[in-house]
Amino acid sequence: MNSNTRPLGVLAALPQELGDLIAAMQAESAVDKRTFGQRDYYVGTVHGVSCVVTLARVGKVAAAATASALIHAFDVEAIVFTGVAGGVGEEVHVGDVVVGETLLQHDMNAEPLFPRYEIPLLGRARFDADRALASALAAACERFVEEQGAALAARFKDALPRLAQALPRVHRGLVISGDQFVASAAAVGALREALPDALAVEMEGAAIAQVCFEYGVPCAVVRTISDTADEHASVSFSSFLTDIAGTYSSGILRQFLAAYGAAVR
Ligand code: SAH
């Protein structure tokens, strides 16, 4: 059994992004469901780890409020966020995975009072994920691709024809967040130009990273690429979310939690 004394917070924006996690928790342990602020928090054991699992819903405010509740009401020892994102880096394709090493809010702009992107009064724009957690997540992604890559390519050959040539890649680096679904070549081009090291764009990660920084709670973010933030983004995002996101999240979290449980045991 697990022996992490404080639970791990596991978070996604939308239900499809949690995959089978809540079902796996229900199969493995008694689950205590608690509701705060219109969100359900599932407390139990999953893949051998004591966890609190919940949905943040979409956007930075939703994500920050949920991270704050995980810290205050559940005293989580760390927070892991899983979900989908738009690919921004040139080499980042639909079906790849990005592990955030650093996170930034691309829509924060209090110029000329503060430098572009800097969070006023916090003196920084970039928030680091916990190194050990991010490495463990990346290793879990690599194992997932190694074990499931061929099956993914066969199962999703229509949606992800690229996988017939090359297995999904696991990237590590900058993930940017803002309260916008980025869905045009112009918008993603502007982000690429302003933040050339950005790999992926989404709507929650950097808000969680800010709250975790403020409280000294380790966090990490893993994102499967559902679209490339251009004119095709909404169609690509919707079909990926419905058909594929859960398979990635379930597989990655299973690998990650099994290793996490073994490490704290
Ligand atoms: N509730 C709606 C909208 C989801 S918004 C729906 O279900 O259709 C998109 C979500 O996926 C956000 O949580 C965001 O973090 C992520 N995401 C995926 N692609 C994105 C993109 N191109 N731009 C911004 N966020 C993206």
Side-chain angles (χ1 to χ4, degrees):
M1 277 326 283
N2 65 293
S3 59
N4 49 326
T5 47
R6 292 160 68 205
L8 178 71
V10 182
L11 197 53
L14 301 165
Q16 296 88 335
E17 295 174 311
L18 277 181
D20 66 1
L21 200 67
I22 291 171
M25 181 186 268
Q26 281 160 341
E28 191 171 326
S29 71
V31 177
D32 179 15
K33 185 174 105 175
R34 297 197 225 154
T35 306
F36 298 105
Q38 302 183 17
R39 284 163 181 79
D40 294 332
Y41 294 80
Y42 295 84
V43 184
T45 299
V46 57
H47 305 315
V49 178
S50 164
C51 289
V52 184
V53 178
T54 191
L55 292 172
R57 304 207 290 261
V58 177
K60 293 186 300 169
V61 172
T66 311
S68 177
L70 282 171
I71 293 167
H72 284 290
F74 297 97
D75 191 30
V76 292
E77 68 180 9
I79 293 179
V80 171
F81 192 101
T82 179
V84 299
V88 177
E90 300 287 348
E91 297 298 314
V92 179
H93 301 285
V94 174
D96 284 357
V97 184
V98 172
V99 175
E101 284 181 331
T102 307
L103 298 105
L104 170 147
Q105 296 170 31
H106 68 76
D107 56 354
M108 173 55 75
N109 187 358
E111 282 179 332
L113 304 175
F114 296 91
R116 186 82 190 263
Y117 309 119
E118 185 169 306
I119 307 298
L121 313 183
L122 213 49
R124 62 168 62 222
R126 291 177 184 238
F127 298 91
D128 290 334
D130 181 75
R131 272 202 200 186
L133 274 184
S135 292
L137 261 182
C141 295
E142 298 284 3
R143 287 195 300 277
F144 168 68
V145 169
E146 212 170 284
E147 290 178 17
Q148 301 290 318
L152 289 174
R155 181 160 166 214
F156 301 120
K157 60 179 184 308
D158 296 335
L160 302 175
R162 235 191 106 76
L163 296 194
Q165 273 83 52
L167 289 178
R169 281 183 57 196
V170 180
H171 309 265
R172 298 173 65 164
L174 177 66
V175 172
I176 57 176
S177 313
D179 286 323
Q180 287 154 27
F181 183 72
V182 179
S184 74
V188 72
L191 289 174
R192 223 174 256 144
E193 200 173 300
L195 296 161
D197 54 337
L199 296 178
V201 62
E202 37 86 310
M203 302 175 70
E204 297 85 16
I208 287 160
Q210 180 182 335
V211 172
C212 285
F213 170 81
E214 290 171 341
Y215 283 96
V217 171
C219 79
V221 173
V222 59
R223 295 280 186 172
T224 305
I225 300 305
S226 57
D227 60 86
T228 43
D230 55 14
E231 278 73 8
H232 310 288
S234 65
V235 171
S236 182
F237 162 79
S238 301
S239 64
F240 196 96
L241 186 69
T242 310
D243 300 330
I244 311 177
T247 303
Y248 273 79
S249 276
S250 298
I252 292 167
L253 289 173
R254 176 181 297 273
Q255 294 283 356
F256 171 76
L257 290 173
Y260 190 91
V264 294
R265 207 163 283 150

